[in-house]
Amino acid sequence: MTTAAGVLPVFGFPAIQPSQAGREKPRIGLALGSGGARGLSHVLIFAMLEELGVKPHRISGCSIGAIMGALYASGMGAETIRDELRGLIAEQDENWFQTLVGGKWRQWAEFVQLSERDGGLVDSDAFIGYLRERTGVSRFGELEIPLQIVATDFWERESVVFEDGALWPAVQASMAMPGLFSPVSYRDKVLVDGGLTNPVPFDLLLDDCDLVIAVNVLGTRGNGGDQTTQNPSYFDNTFNTFQIMQYSILQEKLRREAPDFMISPDIRDIRVLDFHKMDRILEQAQPKVDDLRVDLEAALRDWSA
């Protein structure tokens, strides 16, 4: 049985276990995936949950999912997050990296600057500082919703999960896409983007949540036959290679175990750094979010029946 939002793990709504009967509402786990600018669509998930009166029991995230998850777990509502994002991309007519290297600094100069460190082109320190200031939160223990953030140990080649201590070094590590941001040294580890090992970390939530929603925002890139797609640029080649790898990891994970709800918004031909296309991203993602709402409402009714 398939649902509007996607395929459920056993192809039907999750069975209600006897041990769950004592709880009035299910514990909802929310896994937010990597995907660069496409991850702006996570805000639609927040808005949908708020409309249903659902507060996640736990959140996990990596890369852009770590950023969005930290904002939401800090207590910021969906509309506030949306307004913050719009403020960051106001007046942009191209992706922020093109703006930066082209010398048209505008407001991005305050947050993202060319890196002086080895291993990356862009320094994210100011951006992380901005997030810390806007949320008023510094540590995992200050969050309103428990959060797990995934990064990747560069030398050990394995996933690392952070859920206590300082929040923002973990977020900075999780978003450290190789070649773009410098690796982050934290807790005696050299860390890079969590999407390299666990692009949609729903597995972290399965043992402690009754219903798990996984949000895959890898999107799709089409070969339209034009010069750009026939001869990808350096950054398209680099970033889309990451997407291919992440997609393969996710498919292998799903063969072994699946979340209760897997939503993959149909976000097409949006590059990793196309944050200026926020309206287009949200428009493309909204139909699948609407479908998820229908499926989740049905599961919640089944739970309380």
Side-chain angles (χ1 to χ4, degrees):
M1 168 182 170
T2 25
T3 66
V7 180
L8 298 180
V10 290
F11 305 106
F13 288 115
I16 306 301
Q17 303 298 322
S19 61
Q20 299 169 357
R23 286 193 290 275
E24 182 180 348
K25 295 181 179 180
R27 298 172 302 186
I28 302 292
L30 179 61
L32 305 174
S34 64
R38 295 178 289 268
L40 296 177
S41 61
H42 289 317
V43 73
L44 298 178
I45 302 294
F46 305 154
M48 181 271 294
L49 292 176
E50 289 175 3
E51 291 168 2
L52 294 180
V54 172
K55 181 178 180 179
H57 174 65
R58 303 187 70 87
I59 298 174
S60 64
C62 69
S63 202
I64 185 67
I67 297 171
M68 299 292 283
L71 293 176
Y72 197 58
S74 74
M76 295 177 70
E79 193 60 35
T80 300
I81 294 173
R82 192 191 300 243
D83 289 343
E84 288 289 337
L85 296 173
R86 288 198 183 283
L88 282 175
I89 64 174
E91 301 181 7
Q92 294 298 310
D93 54 10
E94 56 191 344
N95 78 51
W96 59 262
F97 186 76
Q98 291 173 328
T99 298
L100 189 65
V101 298
K104 296 181 290 183
W105 304 93
R106 303 182 193 174
Q107 73 273 27
W108 278 110
E110 182 180 351
F111 307 117
V112 183
Q113 299 182 5
L114 296 179
S115 178
E116 297 180 357
R117 296 197 293 261
D118 292 336
L121 296 174
V122 179
D123 191 327
S124 61
D125 290 349
F127 176 64
I128 289 295
Y130 169 81
L131 297 178
R132 182 188 300 110
E133 178 185 349
R134 297 304 295 167
T135 60
V137 169
S138 298
R139 304 182 67 80
F140 280 90
E142 300 170 23
L143 297 171
E144 293 188 7
I145 302 171
L147 174 67
Q148 294 170 295
I149 289 178
V150 178
T152 297
D153 188 315
F154 183 83
W155 295 116
E156 295 298 326
R157 303 177 183 178
E158 62 185 13
S159 177
V160 179
V161 180
F162 296 99
E163 55 187 357
D164 56 23
L167 172 64
W168 298 108
V171 173
Q172 188 170 21
S174 186
M175 62 176 274
M177 179 178 290
L180 182 62
F181 295 113
S182 298
V184 173
S185 296
Y186 182 54
R187 294 188 181 178
D188 298 323
K189 298 179 183 295
V190 177
L191 302 165
V192 291
D193 197 318
L196 298 175
T197 48
N198 197 350
V200 187
F202 61 83
D203 50 301
L204 303 181
L205 306 172
L206 295 174
D207 291 340
D208 190 44
C209 297
D210 301 312
L211 298 175
V212 173
I213 301 169
V215 188
N216 164 32
V217 292
L218 292 175
T220 59
R221 291 293 303 277
N223 183 350
D226 59 20
Q227 189 69 17
T228 301
T229 54
Q230 292 297 322
N231 298 285
S233 68
Y234 170 82
F235 286 107
D236 269 337
N237 184 33
T238 300
F239 296 150
N240 203 46
T241 298
F242 289 149
Q243 304 293 302
I244 294 169
M245 178 190 66
Q246 291 172 332
Y247 179 81
S248 298
I249 293 171
L250 178 58
Q251 293 307 304
E252 184 60 32
K253 283 182 59 180
L254 290 171
R255 289 189 185 97
R256 290 181 287 134
E257 196 166 23
D260 301 290
F261 300 95
M262 183 78 191
I263 175 176
S264 300
D266 188 20
I267 303 174
R268 304 176 305 281
D269 296 325
I270 298 292
R271 293 175 295 179
V272 168
L273 303 179
D274 281 348
F275 290 92
H276 64 294
K277 296 181 179 179
M278 180 176 175
D279 288 338
R280 180 177 170 187
I281 292 166
L282 298 185
E283 180 181 1
Q284 291 186 357
Q286 189 64 61
K288 285 295 180 71
V289 176
D290 292 340
D291 291 343
L292 173 63
R293 174 176 180 152
V294 173
D295 294 341
L296 183 57
E297 284 182 309
L300 293 174
R301 287 194 302 269
D302 184 56
W303 180 280
S304 60

